[in-house]
PDB file of all heavy atoms in Angstrom:
ATOM      1  N   ARG V 172     104.799 -41.386 -11.683  1.00 97.00           N
ATOM      2  CA  ARG V 172     104.560 -40.252 -10.801  1.00 97.00           C
ATOM      3  C   ARG V 172     104.217 -39.035 -11.636  1.00 97.00           C
ATOM      4  O   ARG V 172     104.827 -38.755 -12.658  1.00 97.00           O
ATOM      5  CB  ARG V 172     105.823 -39.981  -9.990  1.00 97.00           C
ATOM      6  CG  ARG V 172     105.726 -38.696  -9.150  1.00 97.00           C
ATOM      7  CD  ARG V 172     106.957 -38.538  -8.305  1.00 97.00           C
ATOM      8  NE  ARG V 172     108.014 -37.756  -8.952  1.00 97.00           N
ATOM      9  CZ  ARG V 172     108.205 -36.467  -8.721  1.00 97.00           C
ATOM     10  NH1 ARG V 172     107.463 -35.812  -7.882  1.00 97.00           N
ATOM     11  NH2 ARG V 172     109.168 -35.821  -9.312  1.00 97.00           N
ATOM     12  N   THR V 173     103.226 -38.289 -11.192  1.00 97.00           N
ATOM     13  CA  THR V 173     102.944 -36.994 -11.720  1.00 97.00           C
ATOM     14  C   THR V 173     103.291 -35.903 -10.747  1.00 97.00           C
ATOM     15  O   THR V 173     103.075 -36.042  -9.556  1.00 97.00           O
ATOM     16  CB  THR V 173     101.417 -36.827 -12.087  1.00 97.00           C
ATOM     17  OG1 THR V 173     101.011 -38.020 -12.785  1.00 97.00           O
ATOM     18  CG2 THR V 173     101.181 -35.651 -12.991  1.00 97.00           C
ATOM     19  N   VAL V 203      88.398 -40.290   8.746  1.00 97.00           N
ATOM     20  CA  VAL V 203      89.125 -39.840   7.559  1.00 97.00           C
ATOM     21  C   VAL V 203      90.280 -38.902   7.983  1.00 97.00           C
ATOM     22  O   VAL V 203      90.149 -38.113   8.899  1.00 97.00           O
ATOM     23  CB  VAL V 203      88.152 -39.178   6.530  1.00 97.00           C
ATOM     24  CG1 VAL V 203      87.288 -38.125   7.179  1.00 97.00           C
ATOM     25  CG2 VAL V 203      88.859 -38.635   5.374  1.00 97.00           C
ATOM     26  N   HIS V 215     101.628 -24.773  -3.841  1.00 96.00           N
ATOM     27  CA  HIS V 215     100.406 -25.424  -3.382  1.00 96.00           C
ATOM     28  C   HIS V 215     100.597 -26.883  -3.059  1.00 96.00           C
ATOM     29  O   HIS V 215     101.227 -27.604  -3.835  1.00 96.00           O
ATOM     30  CB  HIS V 215      99.285 -25.249  -4.456  1.00 96.00           C
ATOM     31  CG  HIS V 215      99.112 -23.840  -4.838  1.00 96.00           C
ATOM     32  ND1 HIS V 215      98.600 -22.899  -3.956  1.00 96.00           N
ATOM     33  CD2 HIS V 215      99.330 -23.168  -5.998  1.00 96.00           C
ATOM     34  CE1 HIS V 215      98.529 -21.684  -4.584  1.00 96.00           C
ATOM     35  NE2 HIS V 215      98.983 -21.829  -5.802  1.00 96.00           N
ATOM     36  N   SER V 216     100.004 -27.336  -1.996  1.00 96.00           N
ATOM     37  CA  SER V 216     100.036 -28.764  -1.651  1.00 96.00           C
ATOM     38  C   SER V 216      98.737 -29.363  -2.228  1.00 96.00           C
ATOM     39  O   SER V 216      97.749 -28.642  -2.410  1.00 96.00           O
ATOM     40  CB  SER V 216     100.082 -28.942  -0.161  1.00 96.00           C
ATOM     41  OG  SER V 216     101.284 -28.409   0.348  1.00 96.00           O
ATOM     42  N   GLU V 229      99.403 -49.293  11.658  1.00 95.00           N
ATOM     43  CA  GLU V 229     100.866 -48.984  11.778  1.00 95.00           C
ATOM     44  C   GLU V 229     101.281 -47.984  10.654  1.00 95.00           C
ATOM     45  O   GLU V 229     102.015 -47.041  10.910  1.00 95.00           O
ATOM     46  CB  GLU V 229     101.675 -50.265  11.603  1.00 95.00           C
ATOM     47  CG  GLU V 229     102.123 -50.898  12.909  1.00 95.00           C
ATOM     48  CD  GLU V 229     102.722 -49.900  13.878  1.00 95.00           C
ATOM     49  OE1 GLU V 229     103.763 -49.296  13.597  1.00 95.00           O
ATOM     50  OE2 GLU V 229     102.084 -49.705  14.966  1.00 95.00           O
ATOM     51  N   THR V 255      91.518 -27.224  -6.642  1.00 85.00           N
ATOM     52  CA  THR V 255      90.741 -27.789  -7.743  1.00 85.00           C
ATOM     53  C   THR V 255      90.662 -29.277  -7.610  1.00 85.00           C
ATOM     54  O   THR V 255      89.574 -29.861  -7.804  1.00 85.00           O
ATOM     55  CB  THR V 255      91.340 -27.437  -9.093  1.00 85.00           C
ATOM     56  OG1 THR V 255      92.764 -27.737  -8.989  1.00 85.00           O
ATOM     57  CG2 THR V 255      91.201 -25.943  -9.392  1.00 85.00           C
ATOM     58  N   LEU V 286     114.782 -20.559  11.142  1.00 96.00           N
ATOM     59  CA  LEU V 286     114.965 -21.372   9.925  1.00 96.00           C
ATOM     60  C   LEU V 286     116.430 -21.286   9.411  1.00 96.00           C
ATOM     61  O   LEU V 286     116.925 -22.262   8.827  1.00 96.00           O
ATOM     62  CB  LEU V 286     114.005 -20.958   8.870  1.00 96.00           C
ATOM     63  CG  LEU V 286     112.547 -21.292   9.203  1.00 96.00           C
ATOM     64  CD1 LEU V 286     111.572 -20.659   8.141  1.00 96.00           C
ATOM     65  CD2 LEU V 286     112.285 -22.779   9.285  1.00 96.00           C
ATOM     66  N   ASN V 297     107.174 -23.609   2.901  1.00 96.00           N
ATOM     67  CA  ASN V 297     106.575 -22.880   1.796  1.00 96.00           C
ATOM     68  C   ASN V 297     107.409 -21.725   1.371  1.00 96.00           C
ATOM     69  O   ASN V 297     107.612 -21.462   0.183  1.00 96.00           O
ATOM     70  CB  ASN V 297     105.170 -22.414   2.150  1.00 96.00           C
ATOM     71  CG  ASN V 297     104.134 -23.544   2.160  1.00 96.00           C
ATOM     72  OD1 ASN V 297     104.352 -24.532   1.459  1.00 96.00           O
ATOM     73  ND2 ASN V 297     103.091 -23.392   2.926  1.00 96.00           N
ATOM     74  N   ILE V 330     139.646 -19.878  -9.103  1.00 96.00           N
ATOM     75  CA  ILE V 330     140.956 -19.681  -8.447  1.00 96.00           C
ATOM     76  C   ILE V 330     141.772 -18.754  -9.301  1.00 96.00           C
ATOM     77  O   ILE V 330     141.914 -18.959 -10.487  1.00 96.00           O
ATOM     78  CB  ILE V 330     141.702 -21.053  -8.336  1.00 96.00           C
ATOM     79  CG1 ILE V 330     140.886 -22.016  -7.477  1.00 96.00           C
ATOM     80  CG2 ILE V 330     143.085 -20.826  -7.723  1.00 96.00           C
ATOM     81  CD1 ILE V 330     141.451 -23.430  -7.475  1.00 96.00           C
ATOM     82  N   SER V 340     138.657  -8.042   0.870  1.00 87.00           N
ATOM     83  CA  SER V 340     139.702  -9.012   1.025  1.00 87.00           C
ATOM     84  C   SER V 340     139.327 -10.379   0.466  1.00 87.00           C
ATOM     85  O   SER V 340     138.168 -10.702   0.347  1.00 87.00           O
ATOM     86  CB  SER V 340     140.156  -9.106   2.499  1.00 87.00           C
ATOM     87  OG  SER V 340     139.116  -8.726   3.356  1.00 87.00           O
ATOM     88  N   ALA V 352     155.243 -23.975   6.837  1.00 93.00           N
ATOM     89  CA  ALA V 352     155.316 -23.448   5.445  1.00 93.00           C
ATOM     90  C   ALA V 352     156.750 -23.095   5.088  1.00 93.00           C
ATOM     91  O   ALA V 352     157.480 -22.620   5.925  1.00 93.00           O
ATOM     92  CB  ALA V 352     154.461 -22.201   5.370  1.00 93.00           C
ATOM     93  N   ASP V 361     156.911 -18.981   1.168  1.00 96.00           N
ATOM     94  CA  ASP V 361     157.419 -19.166  -0.229  1.00 96.00           C
ATOM     95  C   ASP V 361     156.353 -19.887  -1.047  1.00 96.00           C
ATOM     96  O   ASP V 361     156.291 -21.110  -1.139  1.00 96.00           O
ATOM     97  CB  ASP V 361     158.699 -20.013  -0.189  1.00 96.00           C
ATOM     98  CG  ASP V 361     159.286 -20.162  -1.563  1.00 96.00           C
ATOM     99  OD1 ASP V 361     158.747 -19.503  -2.504  1.00 96.00           O
ATOM    100  OD2 ASP V 361     160.239 -20.949  -1.717  1.00 96.00           O
ATOM    101  N   VAL V 375     137.200 -12.514  -6.655  1.00 94.00           N
ATOM    102  CA  VAL V 375     136.201 -11.547  -6.158  1.00 94.00           C
ATOM    103  C   VAL V 375     135.311 -11.085  -7.324  1.00 94.00           C
ATOM    104  O   VAL V 375     134.322 -10.359  -7.076  1.00 94.00           O
ATOM    105  CB  VAL V 375     136.803 -10.313  -5.504  1.00 94.00           C
ATOM    106  CG1 VAL V 375     137.464 -10.710  -4.170  1.00 94.00           C
ATOM    107  CG2 VAL V 375     137.767  -9.599  -6.427  1.00 94.00           C
ATOM    108  N   GLN V 378     135.469 -10.144 -13.855  1.00 96.00           N
ATOM    109  CA  GLN V 378     135.493  -9.030 -14.805  1.00 96.00           C
ATOM    110  C   GLN V 378     136.813  -8.998 -15.685  1.00 96.00           C
ATOM    111  O   GLN V 378     136.736  -8.907 -16.894  1.00 96.00           O
ATOM    112  CB  GLN V 378     135.296  -7.703 -14.178  1.00 96.00           C
ATOM    113  CG  GLN V 378     135.347  -6.545 -15.166  1.00 96.00           C
ATOM    114  CD  GLN V 378     135.675  -5.235 -14.526  1.00 96.00           C
ATOM    115  OE1 GLN V 378     135.133  -4.971 -13.442  1.00 96.00           O
ATOM    116  NE2 GLN V 378     136.517  -4.472 -15.146  1.00 96.00           N
ATOM    117  N   TYR V 392     129.119 -12.857 -21.157  1.00 98.00           N
ATOM    118  CA  TYR V 392     128.718 -12.624 -19.767  1.00 98.00           C
ATOM    119  C   TYR V 392     129.225 -13.779 -18.926  1.00 98.00           C
ATOM    120  O   TYR V 392     129.419 -14.908 -19.431  1.00 98.00           O
ATOM    121  CB  TYR V 392     127.148 -12.524 -19.591  1.00 98.00           C
ATOM    122  CG  TYR V 392     126.433 -13.782 -19.874  1.00 98.00           C
ATOM    123  CD1 TYR V 392     125.815 -14.534 -18.816  1.00 98.00           C
ATOM    124  CD2 TYR V 392     126.219 -14.222 -21.167  1.00 98.00           C
ATOM    125  CE1 TYR V 392     125.158 -15.715 -19.073  1.00 98.00           C
ATOM    126  CE2 TYR V 392     125.529 -15.423 -21.437  1.00 98.00           C
ATOM    127  CZ  TYR V 392     124.989 -16.147 -20.376  1.00 98.00           C
ATOM    128  OH  TYR V 392     124.291 -17.325 -20.644  1.00 98.00           O
ATOM    129  N   PHE V 412     128.961 -15.346  -3.011  1.00 97.00           N
ATOM    130  CA  PHE V 412     127.734 -15.000  -3.766  1.00 97.00           C
ATOM    131  C   PHE V 412     127.897 -15.157  -5.219  1.00 97.00           C
ATOM    132  O   PHE V 412     129.033 -15.402  -5.671  1.00 97.00           O
ATOM    133  CB  PHE V 412     127.273 -13.547  -3.447  1.00 97.00           C
ATOM    134  CG  PHE V 412     128.256 -12.475  -3.878  1.00 97.00           C
ATOM    135  CD1 PHE V 412     128.020 -11.723  -5.059  1.00 97.00           C
ATOM    136  CD2 PHE V 412     129.426 -12.178  -3.152  1.00 97.00           C
ATOM    137  CE1 PHE V 412     128.907 -10.769  -5.460  1.00 97.00           C
ATOM    138  CE2 PHE V 412     130.315 -11.227  -3.549  1.00 97.00           C
ATOM    139  CZ  PHE V 412     130.065 -10.501  -4.694  1.00 97.00           C
ATOM    140  N   MET V 443     107.927 -12.333 -12.826  1.00 98.00           N
ATOM    141  CA  MET V 443     106.523 -12.046 -12.540  1.00 98.00           C
ATOM    142  C   MET V 443     105.583 -12.946 -13.346  1.00 98.00           C
ATOM    143  O   MET V 443     104.515 -13.301 -12.835  1.00 98.00           O
ATOM    144  CB  MET V 443     106.213 -10.595 -12.758  1.00 98.00           C
ATOM    145  CG  MET V 443     106.912  -9.710 -11.663  1.00 98.00           C
ATOM    146  SD  MET V 443     106.631  -7.964 -11.895  1.00 98.00           S
ATOM    147  CE  MET V 443     104.968  -7.814 -11.328  1.00 98.00           C
ATOM    148  N   ARG V 464     106.233  -2.702  -5.849  1.00 94.00           N
ATOM    149  CA  ARG V 464     107.596  -2.322  -6.103  1.00 94.00           C
ATOM    150  C   ARG V 464     108.128  -2.901  -7.412  1.00 94.00           C
ATOM    151  O   ARG V 464     108.832  -2.213  -8.161  1.00 94.00           O
ATOM    152  CB  ARG V 464     108.470  -2.725  -4.912  1.00 94.00           C
ATOM    153  CG  ARG V 464     109.728  -1.933  -4.745  1.00 94.00           C
ATOM    154  CD  ARG V 464     110.592  -2.311  -3.576  1.00 94.00           C
ATOM    155  NE  ARG V 464     109.868  -2.355  -2.337  1.00 94.00           N
ATOM    156  CZ  ARG V 464     109.586  -3.459  -1.628  1.00 94.00           C
ATOM    157  NH1 ARG V 464     110.002  -4.630  -2.055  1.00 94.00           N
ATOM    158  NH2 ARG V 464     108.889  -3.395  -0.527  1.00 94.00           N
ATOM    159  N   LEU V 465     107.760  -4.133  -7.677  1.00 96.00           N
ATOM    160  CA  LEU V 465     108.253  -4.730  -8.952  1.00 96.00           C
ATOM    161  C   LEU V 465     107.589  -4.017 -10.138  1.00 96.00           C
ATOM    162  O   LEU V 465     108.278  -3.710 -11.069  1.00 96.00           O
ATOM    163  CB  LEU V 465     107.823  -6.224  -8.952  1.00 96.00           C
ATOM    164  CG  LEU V 465     108.483  -7.131  -7.871  1.00 96.00           C
ATOM    165  CD1 LEU V 465     107.971  -8.535  -7.967  1.00 96.00           C
ATOM    166  CD2 LEU V 465     110.013  -7.121  -8.040  1.00 96.00           C
ATOM    167  N   ASN V 466     106.325  -3.779 -10.081  1.00 95.00           N
ATOM    168  CA  ASN V 466     105.649  -3.055 -11.168  1.00 95.00           C
ATOM    169  C   ASN V 466     106.247  -1.650 -11.343  1.00 95.00           C
ATOM    170  O   ASN V 466     106.411  -1.157 -12.445  1.00 95.00           O
ATOM    171  CB  ASN V 466     104.136  -2.935 -10.900  1.00 95.00           C
ATOM    172  CG  ASN V 466     103.449  -4.253 -11.314  1.00 95.00           C
ATOM    173  OD1 ASN V 466     103.760  -4.784 -12.392  1.00 95.00           O
ATOM    174  ND2 ASN V 466     102.632  -4.777 -10.452  1.00 95.00           N
ATOM    175  N   HIS V 506     122.175   6.587   1.766  1.00 97.00           N
ATOM    176  CA  HIS V 506     122.177   7.706   0.782  1.00 97.00           C
ATOM    177  C   HIS V 506     121.523   7.264  -0.527  1.00 97.00           C
ATOM    178  O   HIS V 506     120.700   7.977  -1.091  1.00 97.00           O
ATOM    179  CB  HIS V 506     123.605   8.181   0.465  1.00 97.00           C
ATOM    180  CG  HIS V 506     124.426   8.506   1.691  1.00 97.00           C
ATOM    181  ND1 HIS V 506     125.653   7.999   1.922  1.00 97.00           N
ATOM    182  CD2 HIS V 506     124.110   9.266   2.780  1.00 97.00           C
ATOM    183  CE1 HIS V 506     126.121   8.473   3.085  1.00 97.00           C
ATOM    184  NE2 HIS V 506     125.161   9.231   3.647  1.00 97.00           N
ATOM    185  N   PRO V 525     133.973   9.955  -8.292  1.00 98.00           N
ATOM    186  CA  PRO V 525     135.382  10.345  -8.051  1.00 98.00           C
ATOM    187  C   PRO V 525     136.273   9.123  -8.240  1.00 98.00           C
ATOM    188  O   PRO V 525     135.917   8.058  -7.818  1.00 98.00           O
ATOM    189  CB  PRO V 525     135.402  10.776  -6.591  1.00 98.00           C
ATOM    190  CG  PRO V 525     133.976  11.067  -6.222  1.00 98.00           C
ATOM    191  CD  PRO V 525     133.143  10.220  -7.132  1.00 98.00           C
ATOM    192  N   LYS V 526     137.417   9.303  -8.893  1.00 97.00           N
ATOM    193  CA  LYS V 526     138.241   8.174  -9.223  1.00 97.00           C
ATOM    194  C   LYS V 526     138.774   7.475  -7.967  1.00 97.00           C
ATOM    195  O   LYS V 526     139.045   6.294  -7.993  1.00 97.00           O
ATOM    196  CB  LYS V 526     139.386   8.541 -10.157  1.00 97.00           C
ATOM    197  CG  LYS V 526     140.413   9.543  -9.588  1.00 97.00           C
ATOM    198  CD  LYS V 526     141.528   9.797 -10.620  1.00 97.00           C
ATOM    199  CE  LYS V 526     142.552  10.774 -10.030  1.00 97.00           C
ATOM    200  NZ  LYS V 526     143.529  11.252 -10.967  1.00 97.00           N
ATOM    201  N   TYR V 532     140.403   0.322 -13.204  1.00 96.00           N
ATOM    202  CA  TYR V 532     140.184   0.069 -14.662  1.00 96.00           C
ATOM    203  C   TYR V 532     139.103   0.946 -15.253  1.00 96.00           C
ATOM    204  O   TYR V 532     138.770   0.833 -16.440  1.00 96.00           O
ATOM    205  CB  TYR V 532     139.794  -1.397 -14.838  1.00 96.00           C
ATOM    206  CG  TYR V 532     138.749  -1.861 -13.871  1.00 96.00           C
ATOM    207  CD1 TYR V 532     137.420  -1.382 -14.063  1.00 96.00           C
ATOM    208  CD2 TYR V 532     139.005  -2.745 -12.863  1.00 96.00           C
ATOM    209  CE1 TYR V 532     136.429  -1.782 -13.171  1.00 96.00           C
ATOM    210  CE2 TYR V 532     138.039  -3.140 -11.989  1.00 96.00           C
ATOM    211  CZ  TYR V 532     136.720  -2.680 -12.148  1.00 96.00           C
ATOM    212  OH  TYR V 532     135.738  -3.037 -11.255  1.00 96.00           O
ATOM    213  N   PRO V 550     115.060   0.578  -5.035  1.00 92.00           N
ATOM    214  CA  PRO V 550     114.390   0.686  -3.710  1.00 92.00           C
ATOM    215  C   PRO V 550     114.659  -0.529  -2.838  1.00 92.00           C
ATOM    216  O   PRO V 550     114.811  -1.626  -3.338  1.00 92.00           O
ATOM    217  CB  PRO V 550     112.921   0.774  -4.088  1.00 92.00           C
ATOM    218  CG  PRO V 550     112.804   0.306  -5.501  1.00 92.00           C
ATOM    219  CD  PRO V 550     114.177   0.581  -6.158  1.00 92.00           C
ATOM    220  N   PHE V 591     147.247  -4.738 -27.579  1.00 96.00           N
ATOM    221  CA  PHE V 591     146.940  -5.577 -28.751  1.00 96.00           C
ATOM    222  C   PHE V 591     145.478  -5.411 -29.149  1.00 96.00           C
ATOM    223  O   PHE V 591     144.655  -6.152 -28.624  1.00 96.00           O
ATOM    224  CB  PHE V 591     147.273  -7.036 -28.469  1.00 96.00           C
ATOM    225  CG  PHE V 591     148.705  -7.217 -28.013  1.00 96.00           C
ATOM    226  CD1 PHE V 591     148.958  -8.081 -26.906  1.00 96.00           C
ATOM    227  CD2 PHE V 591     149.762  -6.626 -28.653  1.00 96.00           C
ATOM    228  CE1 PHE V 591     150.226  -8.307 -26.466  1.00 96.00           C
ATOM    229  CE2 PHE V 591     151.049  -6.856 -28.186  1.00 96.00           C
ATOM    230  CZ  PHE V 591     151.315  -7.699 -27.102  1.00 96.00           C
ATOM    231  N   PHE V 603     123.795 -11.581  -7.935  1.00 98.00           N
ATOM    232  CA  PHE V 603     122.608 -12.395  -8.135  1.00 98.00           C
ATOM    233  C   PHE V 603     121.668 -12.388  -6.923  1.00 98.00           C
ATOM    234  O   PHE V 603     120.469 -12.231  -7.063  1.00 98.00           O
ATOM    235  CB  PHE V 603     123.002 -13.821  -8.513  1.00 98.00           C
ATOM    236  CG  PHE V 603     121.822 -14.717  -8.892  1.00 98.00           C
ATOM    237  CD1 PHE V 603     120.897 -14.300  -9.873  1.00 98.00           C
ATOM    238  CD2 PHE V 603     121.661 -15.962  -8.335  1.00 98.00           C
ATOM    239  CE1 PHE V 603     119.832 -15.104 -10.177  1.00 98.00           C
ATOM    240  CE2 PHE V 603     120.593 -16.810  -8.723  1.00 98.00           C
ATOM    241  CZ  PHE V 603     119.689 -16.390  -9.641  1.00 98.00           C
ATOM    242  N   ARG V 605     121.401 -10.096  -4.651  1.00 96.00           N
ATOM    243  CA  ARG V 605     120.709  -8.809  -4.484  1.00 96.00           C
ATOM    244  C   ARG V 605     119.471  -8.797  -5.365  1.00 96.00           C
ATOM    245  O   ARG V 605     118.434  -8.226  -4.979  1.00 96.00           O
ATOM    246  CB  ARG V 605     121.633  -7.632  -4.870  1.00 96.00           C
ATOM    247  CG  ARG V 605     122.879  -7.516  -4.028  1.00 96.00           C
ATOM    248  CD  ARG V 605     122.876  -6.355  -3.056  1.00 96.00           C
ATOM    249  NE  ARG V 605     124.020  -6.448  -2.172  1.00 96.00           N
ATOM    250  CZ  ARG V 605     125.017  -5.532  -2.161  1.00 96.00           C
ATOM    251  NH1 ARG V 605     124.941  -4.539  -2.997  1.00 96.00           N
ATOM    252  NH2 ARG V 605     126.030  -5.708  -1.354  1.00 96.00           N
TER     253      ARG V 605
END
Side-chain angles (χ1 to χ4, degrees):
R172 172 177 93 99
T173 314
V203 51
H215 305 294
S216 296
E229 263 314 296
T255 49
L286 292 173
N297 284 336
I330 300 172
S340 24
D361 182 8
V375 293
Q378 180 202 317
Y392 67 105
F412 65 101
M443 289 178 77
R464 204 178 307 112
L465 296 177
N466 279 313
H506 307 130
K526 66 176 179 190
Y532 49 69
F591 306 133
F603 186 49
R605 298 253 175 113

